[in-house]
Amino acid sequence: MTEKEKCKKGMVYNPNYDEELISERNKCKDLCQKYNNILPSDLEKRRECLKEIINIEEGFLIEQPFYCDYGYNIKIGKNFYANHNLVILDAIDVKIGNNVFIGPNCGIYTAGHPINYEERNIGLEYAKKVTIGDNVWIGGNVTILPGVTIGSNVTIGAGSVVVKDIPDNSIAVGNPCKVIKNIN
């Protein structure tokens, strides 16, 4: 079984020496570099380049800089906006719904590392999917960790660290991020 297959099955894998994964990451990082160097005023060229990197629907804007690992694991719905410095570590699927807005300096991470230092030191990691529903607003400096699902109609307060699922129709804040109010 390849390291990529192990990752997709939720197993611990080593992406550091797998030629296929290295090649795919380098291709994606080259495209991100290309995207980040396009003049901000050239929106059409920026959108075309983003479509080479990620699976994104119409009505979107991601402010530069933007970084991700593979790109092909990211699926974004309609009417999406992300402010500067969005980082998506997409070792496995990241699914983002329609009408999602993300503040500056946010990170969405599917990759994690073992607690055992010996495993971590040889480069092993795991990946867990991240899902974000429709009509979500994520404030600035939010970190979303592996395996999290954020429901629809949710607001995540600035500076939050989302370590557990957040249900539909709620406002959640803090580190760790917790629901503070339900929305009707």
Side-chain angles (χ1 to χ4, degrees), residues 6 8 24 32 35 39 51 91 115 150 152 179 184:
K6 290 178 188 176
K8 296 295 181 195
E24 290 174 352
C32 286
Y35 175 74
L39 288 174
K51 287 183 176 184
I115 300 297
I150 296 174
S152 292
V179 173
N184 295 333

Side-chain angles (χ1 to χ4, degrees), residues 102-168:
I102 299 178
N105 303 311
C106 288
I108 301 171
Y109 309 140
T110 64
H113 301 279
I115 300 297
N116 178 294
Y117 75 90
E118 291 168 333
E119 292 176 351
R120 187 174 58 245
N121 287 348
I122 61 172
L124 296 181
E125 67 180 49
Y126 61 86
K128 294 182 181 179
K129 298 176 183 180
V130 171
T131 303
I132 299 171
D134 296 330
N135 308 308
V136 173
W137 176 26
I138 298 171
N141 295 302
V142 168
T143 301
I144 300 169
L145 295 180
V148 166
T149 294
I150 296 174
S152 292
N153 312 313
V154 169
T155 297
I156 304 292
S160 295
V161 178
V162 186
V163 299
K164 293 184 180 178
D165 293 352
I166 304 296
D168 292 345

Side-chain angles (χ1 to χ4, degrees), residues 34-46:
K34 175 182 168 185
Y35 175 74
N36 292 329
N37 286 316
I38 297 171
L39 288 174
S41 59
D42 196 344
L43 289 177
E44 189 56 38
K45 191 172 181 182
R46 287 171 60 194

Side-chain angles (χ1 to χ4, degrees), residues 16-71:
N16 297 301
Y17 306 104
D18 184 90
E19 289 183 26
E20 179 183 22
L21 291 176
I22 291 168
S23 174
E24 290 174 352
R25 278 195 312 275
N26 285 337
K27 178 182 175 188
C28 183
K29 290 182 186 307
D30 287 350
L31 286 169
C32 286
Q33 182 71 26
K34 175 182 168 185
Y35 175 74
N36 292 329
N37 286 316
I38 297 171
L39 288 174
S41 59
D42 196 344
L43 289 177
E44 189 56 38
K45 191 172 181 182
R46 287 171 60 194
R47 286 186 172 119
E48 288 173 18
C49 187
L50 272 176
K51 287 183 176 184
E52 290 180 59
I53 302 169
I54 58 180
N55 182 351
I56 194 163
E57 300 212 17
E58 296 305 314
F60 64 88
L61 181 60
I62 298 176
E63 300 291 358
Q64 298 147 305
F66 164 70
Y67 302 98
C68 62
D69 280 340
Y70 298 96

